[in-house]
Coordinates of all heavy atoms in Angstrom, one line a residue:
M1 N 5.2 5.4 -5.7 CA 3.9 5.1 -6.3 C 3.1 4.2 -5.4 O 3.8 3.5 -4.6 CB 4.0 4.5 -7.7 CG 4.8 3.2 -7.8 SD 5.2 2.8 -9.5 CE 6.7 3.8 -9.7
S2 N 1.9 4.1 -5.5 CA 1.1 3.2 -4.7 C 1.3 1.8 -5.3 O 1.9 1.6 -6.4 CB -0.3 3.5 -4.7 OG -0.9 3.4 -6.0
L3 N 0.8 0.8 -4.6 CA 0.8 -0.6 -5.1 C -0.6 -0.9 -5.6 O -1.6 -0.2 -5.3 CB 1.2 -1.5 -4.0 CG 2.8 -1.7 -3.8 CD1 3.4 -0.4 -3.2 CD2 3.1 -2.9 -2.9
I4 N -0.7 -2.0 -6.3 CA -2.0 -2.3 -6.9 C -2.2 -3.9 -6.7 O -1.2 -4.6 -6.9 CB -2.1 -1.9 -8.4 CG1 -3.6 -2.1 -8.9 CG2 -1.1 -2.6 -9.3 CD1 -3.8 -1.3 -10.2
I5 N -3.4 -4.3 -6.5 CA -3.7 -5.7 -6.3 C -4.3 -6.2 -7.6 O -5.2 -5.6 -8.2 CB -4.7 -5.9 -5.1 CG1 -4.0 -5.6 -3.8 CG2 -5.1 -7.4 -5.1 CD1 -4.9 -5.6 -2.6
T6 N -3.7 -7.3 -8.2 CA -4.1 -7.8 -9.5 C -5.2 -8.8 -9.3 O -5.5 -9.3 -8.2 CB -3.0 -8.4 -10.2 OG1 -2.7 -9.7 -9.6 CG2 -1.7 -7.6 -10.3
D7 N -5.8 -9.2 -10.4 CA -6.9 -10.2 -10.3 C -6.5 -11.6 -10.0 O -7.3 -12.5 -9.9 CB -7.8 -10.2 -11.6 CG -7.0 -10.5 -12.8 OD1 -5.8 -11.0 -12.7 OD2 -7.5 -10.4 -13.9
E8 N -5.2 -11.7 -9.7 CA -4.8 -13.0 -9.1 C -5.1 -13.2 -7.6 O -4.9 -14.2 -7.1 CB -3.3 -13.2 -9.4 CG -2.9 -13.4 -10.8 CD -1.4 -13.2 -11.1 OE1 -0.7 -14.1 -10.8 OE2 -1.1 -12.1 -11.4
C9 N -5.6 -12.1 -7.0 CA -5.9 -12.1 -5.6 C -6.9 -13.2 -5.3 O -7.9 -13.4 -6.0 CB -6.5 -10.8 -5.2 SG -7.2 -10.7 -3.6
I10 N -6.6 -14.0 -4.2 CA -7.5 -15.1 -3.8 C -8.3 -14.7 -2.6 O -8.8 -15.6 -1.9 CB -6.6 -16.4 -3.6 CG1 -5.5 -16.1 -2.5 CG2 -6.0 -16.9 -4.9 CD1 -4.8 -17.4 -2.0
N11 N -8.4 -13.5 -2.3 CA -9.2 -13.0 -1.1 C -8.9 -13.7 0.2 O -9.7 -14.1 0.9 CB -10.7 -13.2 -1.4 CG -11.2 -12.2 -2.5 OD1 -10.8 -11.0 -2.4 ND2 -12.0 -12.6 -3.4
C12 N -7.6 -13.8 0.5 CA -7.2 -14.6 1.7 C -7.2 -13.7 2.9 O -7.1 -14.2 4.0 CB -5.8 -15.1 1.5 SG -4.5 -13.9 1.6
D13 N -7.4 -12.4 2.8 CA -7.6 -11.5 3.9 C -6.3 -11.2 4.7 O -6.4 -10.5 5.7 CB -8.6 -12.1 5.0 CG -9.9 -12.5 4.4 OD1 -10.3 -11.9 3.4 OD2 -10.6 -13.4 4.9
V14 N -5.2 -11.7 4.2 CA -4.0 -11.6 5.0 C -3.4 -10.1 5.0 O -2.9 -9.6 6.0 CB -2.9 -12.6 4.5 CG1 -1.6 -12.3 5.2 CG2 -3.4 -14.0 4.9
C15 N -3.5 -9.5 3.8 CA -2.8 -8.2 3.7 C -3.5 -7.1 4.4 O -2.9 -6.1 4.9 CB -2.6 -7.8 2.2 SG -4.2 -7.8 1.3
E16 N -4.8 -7.1 4.4 CA -5.6 -5.9 4.9 C -5.2 -5.5 6.3 O -4.9 -4.3 6.5 CB -7.1 -6.3 4.9 CG -8.0 -5.1 5.1 CD -8.5 -5.1 6.5 OE1 -8.5 -6.1 7.2 OE2 -8.8 -4.0 7.0
P17 N -5.1 -6.4 7.3 CA -4.6 -5.9 8.6 C -3.2 -5.5 8.7 O -2.8 -4.8 9.7 CB -4.9 -7.1 9.5 CG -4.9 -8.3 8.6 CD -5.4 -7.8 7.3
E18 N -2.4 -5.8 7.8 CA -0.9 -5.5 7.8 C -0.7 -4.1 7.4 O 0.4 -3.5 7.6 CB -0.1 -6.4 6.9 CG -0.2 -7.9 7.4 CD 0.3 -8.1 8.8 OE1 1.3 -7.4 9.1 OE2 -0.2 -9.0 9.5
C19 N -1.6 -3.4 6.7 CA -1.3 -2.1 6.1 C -1.4 -1.0 7.2 O -2.4 -0.8 7.8 CB -2.4 -1.8 5.0 SG -2.1 -0.1 4.3
P20 N -0.3 -0.3 7.4 CA -0.3 0.7 8.5 C -1.1 2.0 8.1 O -1.4 2.8 9.0 CB 1.2 1.1 8.5 CG 1.7 0.8 7.2 CD 1.0 -0.4 6.7
N21 N -1.5 2.1 6.9 CA -2.3 3.3 6.5 C -3.7 3.0 6.2 O -4.5 3.8 5.8 CB -1.7 3.9 5.2 CG -0.3 4.5 5.4 OD1 0.0 5.0 6.5 ND2 0.6 4.3 4.4
E22 N -4.1 1.7 6.5 CA -5.5 1.3 6.3 C -5.9 1.6 4.8 O -7.0 2.1 4.6 CB -6.5 2.0 7.3 CG -6.2 1.5 8.7 CD -7.2 2.1 9.7 OE1 -8.0 2.9 9.3 OE2 -7.1 1.7 10.9
A23 N -5.0 1.3 3.9 CA -5.3 1.6 2.5 C -5.9 0.4 1.8 O -6.4 0.6 0.7 CB -3.9 1.9 1.8
I24 N -5.9 -0.8 2.4 CA -6.4 -2.0 1.7 C -7.8 -2.3 2.2 O -8.1 -2.2 3.4 CB -5.5 -3.2 2.1 CG1 -4.0 -2.9 1.6 CG2 -6.0 -4.4 1.4 CD1 -3.0 -3.9 2.0
Y25 N -8.7 -2.5 1.3 CA -10.1 -2.8 1.6 C -10.6 -3.9 0.7 O -10.1 -4.1 -0.4 CB -10.9 -1.5 1.6 CG -10.9 -0.9 0.2 CD1 -12.0 -1.1 -0.7 CD2 -9.9 -0.1 -0.2 CE1 -12.0 -0.6 -1.9 CE2 -9.9 0.5 -1.5 CZ -11.0 0.3 -2.3 OH -11.0 0.8 -3.6
Q26 N -11.7 -4.5 1.1 CA -12.4 -5.5 0.3 C -13.2 -4.8 -0.8 O -14.1 -4.0 -0.5 CB -13.3 -6.4 1.1 CG -14.1 -7.4 0.3 CD -13.3 -8.6 -0.1 OE1 -12.9 -9.4 0.7 NE2 -13.1 -8.7 -1.4
G27 N -12.8 -5.0 -2.1 CA -13.6 -4.4 -3.1 C -14.7 -5.3 -3.5 O -15.1 -6.2 -2.8
E28 N -15.3 -5.1 -4.7 CA -16.4 -5.9 -5.1 C -16.1 -7.3 -5.3 O -16.9 -8.2 -5.0 CB -17.0 -5.3 -6.4 CG -18.0 -4.1 -6.2 CD -18.7 -3.7 -7.4 OE1 -18.9 -4.5 -8.3 OE2 -19.0 -2.5 -7.5
E29 N -14.9 -7.6 -5.9 CA -14.6 -9.0 -6.2 C -13.3 -9.4 -5.4 O -13.2 -10.5 -5.0 CB -14.4 -9.2 -7.7 CG -15.7 -9.0 -8.4 CD -15.6 -9.4 -9.9 OE1 -14.5 -9.9 -10.3 OE2 -16.6 -9.2 -10.6
I30 N -12.3 -8.5 -5.4 CA -11.1 -8.8 -4.7 C -10.7 -7.6 -3.9 O -11.3 -6.6 -3.9 CB -9.9 -9.1 -5.8 CG1 -9.8 -7.8 -6.7 CG2 -10.2 -10.3 -6.5 CD1 -8.6 -7.9 -7.7
Y31 N -9.6 -7.8 -3.1 CA -9.1 -6.7 -2.3 C -8.6 -5.6 -3.2 O -8.1 -5.9 -4.3 CB -8.1 -7.2 -1.3 CG -8.7 -7.7 0.0 CD1 -9.2 -9.0 0.0 CD2 -8.8 -6.9 1.1 CE1 -9.8 -9.5 1.2 CE2 -9.4 -7.4 2.2 CZ -9.9 -8.7 2.3 OH -10.5 -9.2 3.4
E32 N -8.7 -4.4 -2.7 CA -8.2 -3.2 -3.5 C -7.3 -2.3 -2.6 O -7.4 -2.4 -1.4 CB -9.3 -2.4 -4.1 CG -10.1 -3.3 -5.1 CD -11.3 -2.5 -5.7 OE1 -11.3 -1.3 -5.7 OE2 -12.2 -3.2 -6.2
I33 N -6.6 -1.4 -3.2 CA -5.7 -0.5 -2.5 C -6.1 0.9 -2.9 O -6.2 1.3 -4.0 CB -4.2 -0.7 -2.8 CG1 -3.8 -2.0 -2.3 CG2 -3.4 0.4 -2.2 CD1 -2.3 -2.4 -2.6
D34 N -6.4 1.7 -1.8 CA -6.7 3.2 -2.0 C -5.4 3.9 -2.3 O -4.5 4.0 -1.4 CB -7.4 3.7 -0.8 CG -7.8 5.2 -0.9 OD1 -7.2 5.9 -1.9 OD2 -8.6 5.6 -0.1
K35 N -5.2 4.3 -3.6 CA -3.9 4.9 -3.9 C -3.6 6.2 -3.2 O -2.5 6.6 -3.0 CB -3.8 5.1 -5.4 CG -4.7 6.1 -6.0 CD -4.5 6.2 -7.5 CE -5.6 7.0 -8.2 NZ -5.9 8.3 -7.7
D36 N -4.6 6.9 -2.7 CA -4.4 8.1 -1.9 C -3.9 7.8 -0.5 O -3.5 8.7 0.2 CB -5.7 8.9 -1.8 CG -6.2 9.4 -3.2 OD1 -5.3 9.6 -4.0 OD2 -7.4 9.5 -3.4
K37 N -4.0 6.5 -0.1 CA -3.5 6.2 1.3 C -2.2 5.4 1.3 O -1.6 5.2 2.3 CB -4.6 5.4 2.1 CG -5.8 6.3 2.4 CD -6.7 5.5 3.3 CE -7.9 6.2 3.7 NZ -8.9 5.4 4.5
C38 N -1.9 4.8 0.1 CA -0.7 3.9 0.1 C 0.6 4.7 -0.1 O 0.7 5.5 -1.0 CB -0.8 2.9 -1.1 SG 0.7 1.9 -1.3
T39 N 1.5 4.5 0.8 CA 2.8 5.2 0.8 C 4.0 4.3 0.4 O 5.1 4.6 0.7 CB 3.1 5.9 2.1 OG1 3.3 4.9 3.1 CG2 2.1 6.9 2.5
E40 N 3.6 3.1 -0.1 CA 4.6 2.0 -0.2 C 5.2 1.7 1.2 O 6.3 1.2 1.3 CB 5.8 2.4 -1.2 CG 5.4 2.7 -2.6 CD 6.6 3.1 -3.5 OE1 7.7 2.7 -3.2 OE2 6.3 3.8 -4.5
C41 N 4.5 2.0 2.2 CA 4.9 1.8 3.6 C 6.0 2.8 4.0 O 6.5 2.7 5.1 CB 5.3 0.4 3.9 SG 3.9 -0.7 4.1
V42 N 6.3 3.8 3.2 CA 7.3 4.8 3.6 C 6.8 5.5 4.9 O 5.6 5.8 5.0 CB 7.4 5.8 2.4 CG1 8.1 7.1 2.9 CG2 8.2 5.2 1.3
G43 N 7.7 5.6 5.8 CA 7.4 6.2 7.1 C 7.1 5.2 8.2 O 7.2 5.5 9.3
H44 N 6.7 4.0 7.7 CA 6.4 3.0 8.7 C 7.4 1.8 8.7 O 7.8 1.3 9.7 CB 5.0 2.4 8.4 CG 3.9 3.4 8.5 ND1 3.3 3.8 9.7 CD2 3.2 4.1 7.5 CE1 2.4 4.7 9.5 NE2 2.3 4.9 8.2
Y45 N 7.7 1.3 7.5 CA 8.5 0.1 7.3 C 9.4 0.3 6.1 O 9.2 1.1 5.2 CB 7.6 -1.1 7.1 CG 6.7 -1.5 8.2 CD1 5.3 -1.2 8.0 CD2 7.1 -2.0 9.4 CE1 4.4 -1.5 9.0 CE2 6.2 -2.3 10.4 CZ 4.8 -2.0 10.2 OH 3.9 -2.3 11.2
D46 N 10.5 -0.5 6.1 CA 11.4 -0.5 5.0 C 10.9 -1.1 3.7 O 11.3 -0.8 2.6 CB 12.7 -1.2 5.4 CG 13.5 -0.4 6.4 OD1 13.3 0.8 6.6 OD2 14.3 -1.1 7.1
E47 N 10.0 -2.1 3.9 CA 9.4 -2.8 2.7 C 7.9 -2.7 2.8 O 7.3 -2.7 3.9 CB 9.8 -4.3 2.8 CG 11.3 -4.5 2.8 CD 12.0 -4.3 1.5 OE1 11.2 -4.4 0.5 OE2 13.2 -4.1 1.5
P48 N 7.3 -2.7 1.6 CA 5.8 -2.8 1.6 C 5.3 -4.1 2.3 O 5.6 -5.2 1.9 CB 5.5 -2.8 0.1 CG 6.6 -2.2 -0.6 CD 7.8 -2.6 0.3
Q49 N 4.6 -3.9 3.4 CA 4.1 -5.0 4.2 C 3.2 -5.9 3.5 O 3.2 -7.2 3.6 CB 3.5 -4.5 5.5 CG 4.5 -3.8 6.4 CD 5.7 -4.6 6.8 OE1 5.5 -5.5 7.6 NE2 6.8 -4.3 6.2
C50 N 2.3 -5.4 2.7 CA 1.3 -6.2 1.9 C 2.1 -7.2 1.0 O 1.7 -8.4 0.9 CB 0.3 -5.4 1.2 SG 1.1 -4.2 0.1
Q51 N 3.1 -6.7 0.3 CA 3.9 -7.6 -0.6 C 4.5 -8.7 0.2 O 4.6 -9.8 -0.3 CB 5.0 -6.8 -1.3 CG 4.5 -6.1 -2.5 CD 5.7 -5.4 -3.2 OE1 6.8 -5.1 -2.6 NE2 5.5 -5.1 -4.5
Q52 N 5.0 -8.4 1.4 CA 5.7 -9.4 2.2 C 4.8 -10.6 2.6 O 5.2 -11.7 2.7 CB 6.2 -8.8 3.6 CG 7.1 -7.6 3.4 CD 8.5 -8.0 2.8 OE1 9.1 -8.9 3.4 NE2 8.9 -7.3 1.8
V53 N 3.5 -10.3 2.8 CA 2.6 -11.3 3.3 C 1.8 -12.0 2.2 O 1.2 -13.1 2.5 CB 1.7 -10.8 4.4 CG1 2.5 -10.3 5.6 CG2 0.8 -9.7 3.9
C54 N 1.6 -11.4 1.1 CA 0.7 -12.0 0.1 C 1.2 -13.4 -0.4 O 2.3 -13.5 -1.0 CB 0.6 -11.0 -1.1 SG -0.5 -11.7 -2.4
P55 N 0.4 -14.4 -0.3 CA 0.9 -15.7 -0.6 C 0.9 -16.0 -2.1 O 1.6 -17.0 -2.6 CB -0.2 -16.7 0.0 CG -1.4 -15.8 0.1 CD -0.9 -14.4 0.3
V56 N 0.3 -15.2 -2.9 CA 0.3 -15.4 -4.4 C 1.0 -14.3 -5.1 O 1.0 -14.3 -6.3 CB -1.1 -15.6 -4.9 CG1 -1.8 -16.8 -4.4 CG2 -2.0 -14.4 -4.7
D57 N 1.7 -13.4 -4.4 CA 2.5 -12.4 -5.0 C 1.8 -11.6 -6.1 O 2.3 -11.4 -7.2 CB 3.7 -13.2 -5.7 CG 5.0 -12.4 -5.6 OD1 5.0 -11.5 -4.8 OD2 6.0 -12.9 -6.2
C58 N 0.7 -11.0 -5.7 CA -0.2 -10.3 -6.6 C -0.3 -8.8 -6.3 O -1.3 -8.2 -6.7 CB -1.5 -11.0 -6.8 SG -2.6 -10.7 -5.3
I59 N 0.8 -8.2 -5.7 CA 0.7 -6.8 -5.3 C 1.9 -6.1 -5.9 O 2.8 -5.7 -5.1 CB 0.5 -6.6 -3.8 CG1 -0.4 -7.6 -3.2 CG2 0.0 -5.2 -3.6 CD1 -0.6 -7.4 -1.7
P60 N 1.9 -5.8 -7.2 CA 3.0 -5.1 -7.8 C 2.9 -3.6 -7.6 O 1.8 -3.1 -7.1 CB 3.0 -5.4 -9.3 CG 1.5 -5.6 -9.5 CD 0.9 -6.2 -8.2
L61 N 3.9 -2.8 -7.9 CA 3.8 -1.4 -7.9 C 2.9 -1.0 -9.1 O 2.9 -1.6 -10.1 CB 5.2 -0.8 -8.2 CG 6.2 -0.8 -7.0 CD1 7.6 -0.5 -7.5 CD2 5.8 0.2 -5.9
D62 N 2.1 0.1 -8.9 CA 1.2 0.6 -9.9 C 2.0 1.6 -10.8 O 2.1 2.7 -10.4 CB 0.0 1.2 -9.2 CG -1.0 1.7 -10.2 OD1 -0.8 1.5 -11.4 OD2 -2.0 2.3 -9.7
E63 N 2.4 1.1 -11.9 CA 3.3 1.9 -12.8 C 2.5 3.1 -13.3 O 3.1 4.1 -13.8 CB 3.8 1.1 -13.9 CG 4.6 -0.2 -13.5 CD 6.0 0.2 -12.9 OE1 6.4 1.3 -13.1 OE2 6.6 -0.7 -12.3
D64 N 1.2 3.1 -13.2 CA 0.4 4.2 -13.7 C 0.3 5.4 -12.7 O -0.3 6.4 -13.0 CB -1.1 3.8 -14.0 CG -1.1 2.9 -15.3 OD1 -0.2 3.0 -16.1 OD2 -2.0 2.1 -15.4
N65 N 0.8 5.1 -11.5 CA 0.8 6.2 -10.5 C 2.1 6.5 -9.9 O 2.4 6.2 -8.7 CB -0.2 5.7 -9.3 CG -1.6 5.9 -9.8 OD1 -2.1 7.0 -10.1 ND2 -2.3 4.8 -9.7
P66 N 3.0 7.0 -10.7 CA 4.4 7.2 -10.2 C 4.5 8.3 -9.2 O 3.8 9.3 -9.3 CB 5.2 7.7 -11.5 CG 4.1 8.1 -12.4 CD 2.9 7.4 -12.1
E67 N 5.2 8.1 -8.1 CA 5.4 9.1 -7.1 C 6.9 9.0 -6.6 O 7.4 7.9 -6.5 CB 4.5 8.8 -5.9 CG 3.1 9.2 -6.1 CD 2.2 8.6 -4.9 OE1 2.1 7.4 -4.8 OE2 1.6 9.4 -4.2
T68 N 7.5 10.1 -6.4 CA 8.9 10.1 -5.8 C 8.9 9.8 -4.4 O 7.8 9.9 -3.7 CB 9.5 11.5 -6.0 OG1 8.8 12.5 -5.2 CG2 9.5 12.0 -7.5
H69 N 10.1 9.5 -3.8 CA 10.2 9.3 -2.4 C 9.7 10.5 -1.6 O 9.0 10.3 -0.6 CB 11.6 8.9 -2.1 CG 11.8 8.6 -0.6 ND1 11.4 7.4 0.0 CD2 12.3 9.4 0.4 CE1 11.7 7.5 1.3 NE2 12.3 8.6 1.6
D70 N 10.1 11.7 -2.1 CA 9.7 12.9 -1.4 C 8.2 13.0 -1.3 O 7.6 13.5 -0.3 CB 10.3 14.1 -2.0 CG 11.8 14.2 -1.7 OD1 12.3 13.5 -0.8 OD2 12.5 15.1 -2.3
E71 N 7.5 12.7 -2.4 CA 6.0 12.8 -2.5 C 5.4 11.8 -1.5 O 4.4 12.1 -0.9 CB 5.5 12.5 -3.9 CG 5.8 13.7 -4.8 CD 5.5 13.4 -6.3 OE1 5.7 12.3 -6.8 OE2 5.0 14.3 -7.0
L72 N 6.0 10.6 -1.4 CA 5.5 9.6 -0.5 C 5.7 10.1 1.0 O 4.8 9.8 1.8 CB 6.2 8.3 -0.7 CG 5.9 7.6 -2.0 CD1 6.8 6.4 -2.3 CD2 4.4 7.1 -2.1
V73 N 6.8 10.7 1.2 CA 7.0 11.3 2.6 C 6.0 12.3 2.9 O 5.4 12.3 4.0 CB 8.4 11.9 2.7 CG1 8.6 12.8 3.9 CG2 9.5 10.8 2.7
I74 N 5.7 13.2 2.0 CA 4.6 14.2 2.2 C 3.3 13.6 2.5 O 2.5 13.9 3.3 CB 4.6 15.2 1.0 CG1 5.8 16.0 1.0 CG2 3.3 16.1 1.1 CD1 6.0 16.8 -0.3
K75 N 3.0 12.5 1.7 CA 1.7 11.8 1.8 C 1.7 11.2 3.2 O 0.6 11.2 3.9 CB 1.7 10.7 0.8 CG 0.4 10.1 0.4 CD 0.7 9.1 -0.8 CE -0.5 8.6 -1.4 NZ -0.1 7.6 -2.5
Y76 N 2.8 10.5 3.7 CA 2.8 9.9 5.0 C 2.6 11.0 6.1 O 1.8 10.8 7.0 CB 4.2 9.3 5.2 CG 4.6 9.0 6.7 CD1 4.1 7.9 7.3 CD2 5.4 9.9 7.4 CE1 4.3 7.7 8.7 CE2 5.7 9.7 8.7 CZ 5.2 8.6 9.3 OH 5.4 8.4 10.7
E77 N 3.2 12.1 5.9 CA 3.0 13.2 6.9 C 1.6 13.7 7.0 O 1.0 14.0 8.0 CB 4.0 14.3 6.7 CG 5.5 13.9 7.0 CD 6.5 15.0 6.8 OE1 6.2 16.0 6.1 OE2 7.6 14.8 7.4
K78 N 1.0 13.8 5.8 CA -0.4 14.3 5.8 C -1.4 13.3 6.4 O -2.3 13.6 7.1 CB -0.8 14.6 4.3 CG -0.4 15.9 3.8 CD -1.0 16.2 2.5 CE -0.6 17.6 1.9 NZ -0.7 17.7 0.5
L79 N -1.1 12.0 6.1 CA -2.0 10.9 6.5 C -1.9 10.7 8.1 O -2.9 10.5 8.7 CB -1.6 9.6 5.9 CG -2.1 9.4 4.4 CD1 -1.4 8.2 3.8 CD2 -3.6 9.2 4.4
T80 N -0.7 10.9 8.6 CA -0.5 10.5 10.0 C -0.4 11.7 10.9 O -0.5 11.6 12.1 CB 0.8 9.7 10.2 OG1 1.9 10.5 9.8 CG2 0.8 8.4 9.3
G81 N 0.0 12.8 10.4 CA 0.2 14.0 11.2 C 1.6 13.9 11.9 O 2.0 14.8 12.7
N82 N 2.4 12.9 11.5 CA 3.7 12.7 12.1 C 4.8 13.3 11.2 O 4.6 13.4 10.0 CB 4.1 11.2 12.3 CG 3.1 10.6 13.3 OD1 2.6 11.2 14.2 ND2 2.9 9.3 13.1
K83 N 5.9 13.7 11.8 CA 7.1 14.1 11.0 C 7.8 12.9 10.5 O 8.0 12.0 11.3 CB 7.9 15.0 11.9 CG 9.0 15.8 11.1 CD 8.6 17.2 10.7 CE 9.6 17.8 9.8 NZ 9.2 18.0 8.4
F84 N 8.2 12.9 9.3 CA 9.0 11.8 8.7 C 10.4 11.7 9.4 O 11.1 12.7 9.4 CB 9.1 11.9 7.2 CG 9.9 10.8 6.6 CD1 9.4 9.5 6.6 CD2 11.2 11.0 6.1 CE1 10.2 8.4 6.0 CE2 11.9 10.0 5.5 CZ 11.4 8.7 5.4
E85 N 10.7 10.5 9.9 CA 12.1 10.4 10.5 C 12.7 9.3 9.7 O 12.7 8.1 10.1 CB 12.0 10.1 11.9 CG 11.5 11.3 12.7 CD 11.2 11.0 14.2 OE1 11.8 9.9 14.7 OE2 10.6 11.7 14.9
G86 N 13.3 9.6 8.6 CA 13.9 8.5 7.8 C 15.4 8.4 7.9 O 16.1 7.7 7.4
Ligands
SF4_1 FE1 -0.5 -0.5 2.7 FE2 2.1 -0.5 2.7 FE3 0.8 -2.1 1.0 FE4 0.7 0.5 0.6 S1 2.6 -0.8 0.5 S2 -1.0 -0.8 0.6 S3 0.9 1.4 2.7 S4 0.8 -2.2 3.3
SF4_2 FE1 -5.3 -10.9 -2.1 FE2 -2.7 -11.2 -1.7 FE3 -4.2 -9.6 -0.1 FE4 -4.5 -12.2 0.0 S1 -2.7 -11.1 0.6 S2 -6.1 -10.7 0.0 S3 -4.2 -12.8 -2.1 S4 -3.8 -9.3 -2.3

């Protein structure tokens, strides 16, 4: 599933450049994640990079958008044009 940024976000700008899929963007009030581009970092890293860097720990999994690992792999391949090598 994709991740979601909660309203605890302090707009520190740290996560946006860390996303390998360019899924994070400045929304109207806080940063937001484009669920169509977030792969939980599958295909790029072992752990979600945004979660690793967020100083206030406000990027949980979005339970409303469940996706299997296989679905995330397909998403990664569509987004990047690369073959998944897991
Ligand atoms: Fe981007 Fe990875 Fe965070 Fe998803 S989990 S928003 S792909 S950094
Ligand atoms: Fe907001 Fe966390 Fe991203 Fe900073 S790292 S902009 S607090 S979501």
Side-chain angles (χ1 to χ4, degrees):
M1 63 192 80
S2 65
L3 278 69
I4 190 166
I5 294 174
T6 73
D7 60 10
E8 290 164 83
C9 171
I10 56 170
N11 287 318
C12 73
D13 309 331
V14 170
C15 57
E16 190 263 336
E18 298 299 326
C19 179
N21 293 324
E22 297 184 354
I24 302 175
Y25 60 96
Q26 175 76 68
E28 276 188 30
E29 293 186 7
I30 56 172
Y31 275 82
E32 297 179 23
I33 293 176
D34 182 344
K35 64 179 169 52
D36 294 329
K37 291 185 178 175
C38 175
T39 63
E40 296 180 28
C41 283
V42 163
H44 297 282
Y45 301 104
D46 290 339
E47 302 285 339
Q49 295 301 289
C50 53
Q51 276 185 337
Q52 302 290 310
V53 298
C54 180
V56 295
D57 218 8
C58 70
I59 321 181
L61 285 166
D62 182 1
E63 303 289 345
D64 290 335
N65 285 300
E67 285 168 296
T68 65
H69 180 77
D70 286 350
E71 286 173 325
L72 292 170
V73 166
I74 291 167
K75 202 176 188 182
Y76 162 79
E77 290 183 338
K78 276 190 183 157
L79 282 168
T80 65
N82 296 332
K83 190 93 188 113
F84 177 71
E85 292 174 15

